[in-house]
Amino acid sequence: MKKLFVEDLKAGDSVFGELFAVKNYKKTATRNNRPYIDITLSDKTGFIKGKIWSDDMPNCETVEEADVVSVSASIEDFNGAPQAKITNMSKVDKYDLTDFQPSTDKDIEKMFDEITDAASKIKNPQLQKLLQEFLSDKDTVEKFKRGAGGYTVHHDYLGGLLDHTTEMLSYVPAIAKTHSKINKDILTTGVILHDIGKVHEYEVSTSIVITPKLKLLGHIFMGAEMVKRYGEKAGVEEKLLDEILHMILAHQGRIEFGSPVLPKTPEAMVLYRLDDMSAKLNTAFKLLDSGGSDGDLFTSYQRNLETELYRSPYVDDLTNEDIPF
Ligand SMILES: [Fe+2]
Ligand SMILES: [Fe+2]
């Protein structure tokens, strides 16, 4: 378990055999042709720039970005910021990923239990079988459990995909109770499966990396393809499978947001709104939590929210626990 984090490092410190992830690694040279390596080390608390000078290169293994390395270094001041002068560096294979990536503060297994529990309550036997195909696909489920919900904007951390999906799932009973014409089985199935294409979209290692598949295909197509495969294997009749596929394809609500079709069923309309609400609220709370000087009433402009946000002075007075519902 890592004990020393980037946020603790300050000029004058010495570091012996501490683990960091390699964020950037570039061989280069000074103006006088003295070779050196420009490197950025990171963990879940931030990053620090570093240098490996030619004298120290023989003691430093050649590494690649996203590797985890054991580092010995002295921390120096460079233009007011700490910088690592690395004297020894070697790659390691055993580490705890959560030291290097922000992760959900919720229990991943408990969240996954919520998904399996909701799936087990589905009454339609075909949809039940469809979800079982997904839930028994071990490799996909492992990626789903630790996957990120996004790259930079919403739920962009380990377990974020599960956080996002279970949050959306938690609204389904209330919606189905209020709107009895909503098909709860279809909505539940759509919520659980809507973002499964993201397991192929982001490679989650020491940093979240967008795979070439995302750039070429996107998570909506990937997810629909997976659901089609699971559905056909489960023997779901074509018309019903089309409705579920429609949920996946329409979940971003608008063509300019990446959905090839607009929501054409009440369940697809709800799914789009739940997805949008979950993403936007996550972005909003992240923005409100991120610093700002004392007394700043508004945050910076956020492109996805298309506005800045107001820091309510009443926020600390609110306690939801006292609200009787
Ligand atoms: Fe999505
Ligand atoms: Fe989503």
Side-chain angles (χ1 to χ4, degrees):
M1 190 77 179
K2 195 166 145 66
K3 286 192 194 83
L4 187 69
F5 288 90
V6 166
E7 65 180 5
D8 305 320
L9 299 176
K10 52 187 188 317
D13 288 351
S14 293
V15 168
F16 298 102
E18 286 294 338
L19 300 190
F20 297 97
V22 179
K23 195 174 166 67
N24 298 110
Y25 183 86
K26 200 172 123 202
K27 285 185 177 159
T28 182
T30 63
R31 257 180 261 156
N32 307 329
N33 254 344
R34 186 183 171 202
Y36 71 97
I37 292 162
D38 229 348
I39 187 167
T40 308
L41 301 171
S42 69
D43 61 32
K44 65 178 178 183
T45 69
F47 62 87
I48 180 169
K49 289 183 178 288
K51 297 251 185 297
I52 304 171
W53 294 105
S54 49
D55 296 348
D56 297 315
M57 279 183 194
N59 301 322
C60 295
E61 225 176 274
T62 301
V63 296
E64 287 177 9
E65 285 168 15
D67 282 347
V68 173
V69 287
S70 166
V71 167
S72 296
S74 50
I75 310 300
E76 301 176 340
D77 178 273
F78 184 72
N79 288 339
Q83 181 176 266
K85 179 182 178 285
I86 298 166
T87 50
N88 206 299
M89 185 172 82
S90 56
K91 196 180 155 181
V92 296
D93 293 323
K94 282 197 177 149
Y95 53 87
D96 183 348
L97 196 55
T98 58
D99 284 338
F100 301 95
Q101 273 282 337
S103 58
T104 177
D105 49 13
K106 296 187 196 135
D107 186 318
I108 287 203
E109 292 307 324
K110 268 193 190 150
M111 283 197 285
F112 189 66
D113 285 349
E114 287 173 37
I115 305 260
T116 51
D117 188 49
S120 72
K121 287 181 180 144
I122 298 251
K123 293 201 181 76
N124 182 299
Q126 295 187 45
L127 295 182
Q128 170 81 249
K129 268 184 95 180
L130 165 65
L131 285 168
Q132 287 317 317
E133 283 297 333
F134 161 57
L135 295 170
S136 58
D137 181 349
K138 274 192 187 156
D139 183 47
T140 299
V141 162
E142 272 320 301
K143 288 180 182 159
F144 182 72
K145 279 183 181 175
R146 66 188 182 110
Y151 177 58
T152 51
V153 183
H154 77 93
H155 300 92
D156 52 342
Y157 48 81
L158 295 176
L161 184 52
L162 214 42
D163 245 353
H164 172 58
T165 308
T166 52
E167 178 194 331
M168 289 168 65
L169 204 51
S170 72
Y171 300 122
V172 172
I175 292 166
K177 202 173 165 198
T178 309
H179 296 279
S180 56
K181 288 182 180 169
I182 288 279
N183 185 314
K184 198 176 163 190
D185 282 357
I186 290 181
L187 182 57
T188 303
T189 307
V191 166
I192 294 174
L193 299 175
H194 84 282
D195 266 346
I196 59 169
K198 284 187 176 168
V199 301
H200 297 294
E201 190 173 60
Y202 305 116
E203 235 157 54
V204 180
S205 63
T206 56
S207 60
I208 298 169
V209 180
I210 300 182
T211 64
K213 259 196 197 306
L214 162 72
K215 291 182 184 163
L216 295 174
L217 306 177
H219 80 284
I220 290 190
F221 173 82
M222 290 302 300
E225 200 193 35
M226 291 161 77
V227 170
K228 191 162 188 287
R229 194 162 24 91
Y230 294 139
E232 284 171 353
K233 224 172 148 194
V236 179
E237 60 192 37
E238 197 177 337
K239 264 192 198 169
L240 182 57
L241 188 53
D242 283 349
E243 268 202 51
I244 303 300
L245 287 170
H246 175 68
M247 301 282 282
I248 315 297
L249 297 175
H251 86 257
Q252 300 213 164
R254 282 159 66 173
I255 287 163
E256 62 270 33
F257 294 164
S259 266
V261 285
L262 302 190
K264 295 183 201 303
T265 63
E267 292 77 16
M269 288 163 65
V270 170
L271 178 65
Y272 158 48
R273 267 79 188 185
L274 289 181
D275 185 52
D276 190 55
M277 179 168 72
S278 168
K280 294 243 165 73
L281 278 179
N282 185 267
T283 305
F285 287 126
K286 197 167 78 175
L287 183 62
L288 287 167
D289 287 345
S290 65
S293 311
D294 273 353
D296 275 354
L297 280 181
F298 288 91
T299 66
S300 55
Y301 180 85
Q302 215 289 336
R303 199 162 49 92
N304 290 70
L305 301 177
E306 297 174 58
T307 187
E308 71 272 73
L309 291 181
Y310 179 56
R311 297 184 199 279
S312 167
Y314 300 107
V315 72
D316 292 336
D317 299 345
L318 297 174
T319 133
N320 291 337
E321 280 147 31
D322 299 337
I323 300 172
F325 61 78

